[in-house]
Amino acid sequence: MGDESGLYPATGWHIRGEMGGFWTQPIKVLDGLWFGLDGQWLGKDVAAAKYTSGHGYSRIDYSGAVQVRRTDFVPDGVRATVVGLTLSSATAKTVSLDVDAHSELMSSYPWGWTTPSAADANLADTGSYGNGALRFREQNTSHDYAAYVGSSLRPTNHALGPNHRGPQDPAVICPADGTTPARCDDSLVGKGTGGRLTYDVVLKPGREQTIWFAVAGSDDGPAAAQREYDRALSSPGKLLQAKDSARRQIDQQSAVDLPGDRLLQQSVEWSKQNLADSVQEARNLKIRDVNEGKDYPAPVGTVETARWFGAGFPDYPWLFATDGEYTSYAAVAAGQFDTVKAHLKSLRDISDLLNARSGKVAHEIIPTGDVYFGSNQSAGNTDETVKFPSIVALLWRWTGDDRFRDEFYDFSVRNLQYVYRELDQDHDGWPEGLANVERSGMGAEKLDSTVYLARGLRDLADLAASKHDRKVQQWATARAQDLENRFEAQWWVPQALGYADSVDDPADPANDNTPIFQRHWTGVTPMEAELVRPGKPTSPLASPEHAATALTQRETPCYTGEFGLFHTGTGRTSDPAGNPGASCDPVVSQVKSERSIFSLNTSIMAVAEGNYGRLGANQQQVYTTGNARIQLDPKVWETPGAMPEIAPSPDSAANIGRPFYDRSMTLQAWGTYGILWPVIHQQLGVDPDLGHGRVAVVPQLPAGQPKVAGSNIRLGRGSIDVTARLTGKELRTDLKVHHLKADFTVGAVLPAGAKLNNVTLNGRATPYRLVTTSRGTEVHVTARASAAVRIVLA
């Protein structure tokens, strides 16, 4: 992780200035790797002419007397970064190539402010040279970190020393706090060392020559680091081809054609790659509760391997429950089932060790195994415990994998039993504890936890029914029905035109269960989370009438900015002293607004709009376009093709103008939820229930778009292709099925106010059903496999 010129500014804030560079979880390896030609450093003396984000690689082109192209990639399954430096010259010449490397062997935990701190834990690195490579090491009685840097080309010279940061010598050190330079090169806790390799490179006129370099590391000593180094340099060209092939396969899954919205189509392409870019793995995680950085006890056990969707880069590349649960919806739509399974397994294994099988899901786990937040002794986040059964059900429905269901069923049961045992002290059914919004003035019972509990109960009941566990099925169903029956009366706030964010502390009898409306983004979750109820169409928790009112209100400038939904809107609240009527003035309310636009908040709104068939230009498209723009619009993005954490917002300055040690995440996985799920699940209408042997494909065309199509959408061990068109008065849905057996329902959502003339299946008149859902009126036709459904409107 560096900048687009090939330099390595001090980056990130968990360990201030140390979150960039080269990493192999759970350790950092290098601060950076710099290249110089004939004494001219690339990125400073020789400017970068172009930066390219590719599928699984990055590339920088430099223009000068010698043309240089730098290509960086990480081979799958190898703990190394491979860098190809391609040189060419119009004339024959021999150039002197200097390669500087500066080590920083450091664990991803402790951090700058924890006990112990990164300064306490980080040790001085040593450097050496051998067999053409720079070798770095940090060791004591508890660990042995090592890194190798070199090339298959033999150097003509080498040097060792404390600096060797190329053009970033002498290093500017980031202070711990206070006034800081616009750019700095290292941190106060840095204790790395450096080295230089020098090569003589003979260039023939007009011919390219590529020199391959590797940066390899291990937390298991020098021998392991050398093995990874040797693997990376054994055949780097083939490793790049393999990486390209793997990413092409990802690109070909859930490939879409959206002629009415090419920006969204491109965002689908890059969101799939963002998910793949986010995958992390660590081994031998020592699980301990560090109590938000205050403690450092002995570990309670070891998890042999963990694999997960890293939440955000550069500061959050570790394992989160909340982030991963939202990301899972995007990942199943993209066909990336294996990582979802691995993420869930990692959460379960770590949570059960940490929390003695209580059922509580840990919140934030560093790749070392240190759990920052989420033990039985901490407040944790209630929402992620109640969401876990829903992600199990989600993957089971998309894969039909009963063995996977069986593996996670017990943990899913314990999740919800824990909530009712520990987090409902007043026995009113509304769960207590923290949730996604951690702001002052909130009551103990949060809206999003309530919504996701209602969904989780329905999903657990479905899992239980499939396993013939009537006791759990009846328990979960009864509790779900109770919550659903009482939800609107408790949580709807008419004067606010929305749902309460929380209800007050149940320990205060005088104010028990008084709704508190503070305008947070979680007010959209009743419209976002779909509930699966036996014998009824899948639909969100919110009533259609209240959903329409709340979504219309959220579309106003009080809540929505240029790139999507504010974290906390402006205007009226449930507090009479903060009710300025229809005003959107952010300063008049006693509840402070927070007009920062997170890609997750925008995703939640995009999904909620789609659940109610609100796909118009002033509805869902505002939010899908907002996330697509911050990912792809060159006037907006920080890293081309990467979905960031926060959009440029009234209350959040664009990252690009801020120091590297004070930025939000340049890539945040959960923002892909608001792209992949609306397109695959809502517009293309793909709704599998393979756990029960069923698949529904009921597309809905956005207004003004004549066609949406998707191919190679993975379901189970097979796939489907879907095309939906509106030509004149004919709605047409074409389904092609590949290597998949199921009962299919195929159809379409009728345009508002439309009436039917006739329906055909594969050219013949066919029985059909009209089903009223939250999306509108749906036409359903039963099919056994591939099908062409034509719906002629009157």
Side-chain angles (χ1 to χ4, degrees):
M1 291 181 283
D3 73 14
E4 292 171 6
S5 67
L7 302 183
Y8 293 87
T11 296
W13 47 268
H14 271 104
I15 307 173
R16 196 178 201 209
E18 294 289 357
M19 300 307 292
F22 292 72
W23 289 75
T24 178
Q25 300 295 3
I27 62 169
K28 182 174 179 177
V29 176
L30 293 186
D31 278 331
L33 186 71
W34 298 266
F35 297 92
L37 290 179
D38 292 333
Q40 301 289 299
W41 290 105
L42 302 182
K44 182 180 181 182
D45 305 313
V46 180
K50 182 170 68 172
Y51 174 86
T52 303
S53 286
H55 290 180
Y57 69 90
S58 65
R59 181 165 289 155
I60 307 173
D61 290 277
Y62 303 90
S63 296
V66 175
Q67 299 288 310
V68 183
R69 183 172 68 249
R70 173 181 174 171
T71 303
D72 292 51
F73 74 100
V74 176
D76 292 334
V78 183
R79 298 184 72 176
T81 294
V82 175
V83 180
L85 208 66
T86 302
L87 311 178
S88 63
S89 172
T91 60
K93 62 173 59 181
T94 298
V95 298
S96 177
L97 172 62
D98 289 325
V99 182
D100 267 13
H102 193 268
S103 75
E104 192 57 80
L105 289 158
M106 172 188 288
S107 174
S108 55
Y109 189 88
W111 300 333
W113 65 88
T114 59
T115 302
S117 69
D120 299 326
N122 193 29
L123 306 177
D125 297 353
T126 59
S128 62
Y129 171 82
N131 197 27
L134 298 172
R135 302 172 176 180
F136 303 107
R137 192 175 188 184
E138 178 192 299
Q139 67 175 142
N140 63 9
T141 56
S142 65
H143 70 255
D144 193 356
Y145 305 154
Y148 273 53
V149 181
S151 168
S152 52
L153 188 66
R154 193 76 180 183
T156 56
N157 203 353
H158 75 274
L160 298 171
N163 295 316
H164 293 297
R165 295 181 180 87
Q168 293 176 237
D169 278 334
V172 177
I173 306 301
C174 288
D177 50 34
T179 304
T180 56
R183 178 182 182 129
C184 47
D185 307 293
D186 205 350
S187 76
L188 285 169
V189 305
K191 297 178 183 178
T193 189
R196 176 175 297 175
L197 301 172
T198 300
Y199 304 84
D200 290 335
V201 182
V202 178
L203 299 178
K204 297 180 180 180
R207 294 184 61 180
E208 291 186 341
Q209 180 173 346
T210 299
I211 306 165
W212 295 101
F213 298 87
V215 176
S218 175
D219 54 336
D220 196 24
Q226 179 158 9
R227 283 196 299 271
E228 301 302 314
Y229 174 79
D230 292 341
R231 290 177 65 199
L233 288 178
S234 62
S235 185
K238 289 184 178 179
L239 289 174
L240 181 55
Q241 289 177 353
K243 185 79 175 190
D244 178 68
S245 177
R247 291 307 183 93
R248 286 180 185 272
Q249 183 177 349
I250 287 170
D251 187 47
Q252 290 165 1
Q253 292 172 185
S254 296
V256 302
D257 180 19
L258 308 176
D261 196 340
R262 293 302 188 195
L263 178 65
L264 182 56
Q265 176 180 326
Q266 191 180 7
S267 185
V268 168
E269 172 194 347
W270 279 96
S271 293
K272 294 182 294 185
Q273 298 296 326
N274 288 175
L275 291 173
D277 286 337
S278 299
V279 180
Q280 302 285 285
E281 183 174 304
R283 298 173 186 173
N284 299 314
L285 291 81
K286 307 298 183 186
I287 309 304
R288 77 183 92 225
D289 174 19
V290 301
N291 185 26
E292 298 182 72
K294 302 179 186 72
D295 304 325
Y296 200 74
V300 296
T302 301
V303 169
E304 183 177 343
T305 301
R307 188 171 176 85
W308 67 92
F309 287 112
F313 297 82
D315 265 286
Y316 287 110
W318 36 77
L319 172 64
F320 279 84
T322 295
D323 297 62
E325 288 160 343
Y326 285 120
T327 301
S328 292
Y329 285 89
V332 297
Q336 296 180 30
F337 302 150
D338 290 345
T339 309
V340 178
K341 290 181 181 179
H343 193 109
L344 294 177
K345 183 178 186 302
S346 300
L347 281 175
R348 182 203 59 191
D349 293 351
I350 291 166
S351 298
D352 268 352
L353 261 180
L354 177 77
N355 290 326
R357 294 178 55 83
S358 71
K360 182 175 185 174
V361 177
H363 171 71
E364 181 175 1
I365 303 123
I366 295 86
T368 53
D370 297 296
V371 182
Y372 189 72
F373 192 54
S375 71
N376 287 334
Q377 287 69 46
S378 70
N381 272 29
T382 305
D383 69 289
E384 54 209 359
T385 296
V386 299
K387 285 206 295 273
F388 197 96
S390 292
I391 311 307
V392 173
L394 171 75
L395 194 62
W396 175 61
R397 290 168 185 149
W398 281 72
T399 64
D401 186 345
D402 286 344
R403 286 193 297 179
F404 162 79
R405 174 205 61 190
D406 294 345
E407 180 183 356
F408 288 89
Y409 179 71
D410 170 68
F411 187 62
S412 298
V413 173
R414 289 188 282 117
N415 294 154
L416 301 193
Q417 289 177 339
Y418 172 84
V419 170
Y420 278 101
R421 184 175 68 247
E422 303 291 340
L423 298 175
D424 188 22
Q425 295 180 14
D426 59 353
H427 306 294
D428 65 354
W430 316 125
E432 297 141 15
L434 297 176
N436 279 285
V437 173
E438 300 167 7
R439 298 296 186 271
S440 62
M442 299 191 77
E445 298 165 342
K446 311 298 192 297
L447 175 65
D448 45 333
S449 293
T450 294
V451 171
Y452 295 136
L453 174 59
R455 182 182 66 186
L457 287 163
R458 287 295 185 180
D459 290 335
L460 181 62
D462 192 23
L463 295 169
S466 72
K467 288 183 64 64
H468 308 291
D469 184 346
R470 288 187 55 80
K471 182 178 180 181
V472 169
Q473 180 189 0
Q474 291 173 348
W475 175 83
T477 298
R479 289 186 179 271
Q481 289 175 337
D482 175 61
L483 292 185
E484 292 165 28
N485 290 341
R486 295 186 293 116
F487 177 75
E488 296 289 348
Q490 173 61 63
W491 291 89
W492 181 251
V493 183
Q495 68 271 28
L497 305 179
Y499 289 97
D501 306 280
S502 61
V503 297
D504 67 354
D505 189 346
D508 180 2
N511 295 308
D512 190 28
N513 288 346
T514 299
I516 300 172
F517 179 78
Q518 296 175 297
R519 309 171 310 231
H520 301 313
W521 64 269
T522 49
V524 181
T525 58
M527 289 76 76
E528 171 251 344
E530 290 185 295
L531 276 63
V532 175
R533 304 174 176 95
K536 297 181 179 180
T538 297
S539 64
L541 183 59
S543 71
E545 298 77 19
H546 287 165
T549 298
L551 290 172
T552 299
Q553 175 75 345
R554 296 280 170 163
E555 292 164 359
T556 69
C558 292
Y559 292 91
T560 292
E562 180 180 1
F563 298 109
L565 189 71
F566 295 145
H567 180 284
T568 304
T570 63
R572 68 180 72 194
T573 70
S574 56
D575 177 3
N579 184 1
S583 171
C584 292
D585 188 337
V587 301
V588 295
S589 173
Q590 290 188 354
V591 180
K592 186 181 184 299
S593 67
E594 190 173 334
R595 295 172 302 163
S596 296
I597 299 170
F598 288 74
S599 56
L600 174 64
N601 308 349
T602 301
S603 295
I604 296 293
M605 189 65 180
V607 171
E609 295 270 46
N611 284 338
Y612 290 88
R614 300 164 65 100
L615 307 186
N618 296 319
Q619 298 171 324
Q620 184 182 78
Q621 291 176 45
V622 170
Y623 305 96
T624 55
T625 298
N627 269 2
R629 284 188 63 199
I630 62 176
Q631 181 186 40
L632 295 166
D633 186 336
K635 297 177 182 178
V636 182
W637 48 247
E638 180 185 8
T639 302
M643 180 72 71
E645 179 188 16
I646 305 177
S649 314
D651 294 338
S652 184
N655 265 349
I656 202 70
R658 294 160 61 180
F660 277 81
Y661 51 80
D662 186 35
R663 294 185 175 189
S664 57
M665 302 308 102
T666 185
L667 171 61
Q668 189 85 14
W670 62 14
T672 60
Y673 174 40
I675 298 295
L676 288 160
W677 193 251
V679 172
I680 303 300
H681 177 62
Q682 295 175 335
Q683 296 185 18
L684 290 172
V686 179
D687 188 18
D689 188 11
L690 287 175
H692 295 294
R694 303 186 293 255
V695 175
V697 180
V698 184
Q700 182 172 19
L701 286 162
Q705 297 187 32
K707 172 188 170 184
V708 294
S711 61
N712 196 22
I713 300 168
R714 286 189 66 197
L715 300 177
R717 296 183 178 180
S719 66
I720 61 173
D721 305 333
V722 182
T723 301
R725 295 183 178 88
L726 175 60
T727 305
K729 290 191 174 182
E730 182 183 81
L731 269 175
R732 175 175 169 180
T733 298
D734 292 310
L735 170 68
K736 292 184 179 179
V737 180
H738 307 282
H739 311 294
L740 179 67
K741 290 185 178 181
D743 296 326
F744 290 91
T745 297
V746 186
V749 179
L750 295 179
K755 295 183 179 180
L756 280 183
N757 189 330
N758 63 74
V759 179
T760 63
L761 172 64
N762 299 329
R764 296 183 179 182
T766 185
Y768 62 88
R769 292 182 296 135
L770 294 179
V771 181
T772 300
T773 73
S774 61
R775 302 166 73 203
T777 301
E778 299 183 5
V779 177
H780 288 188
V781 174
T782 300
R784 294 185 177 181
S786 297
V789 173
R790 307 290 186 271
I791 301 167
V792 179
L793 306 176

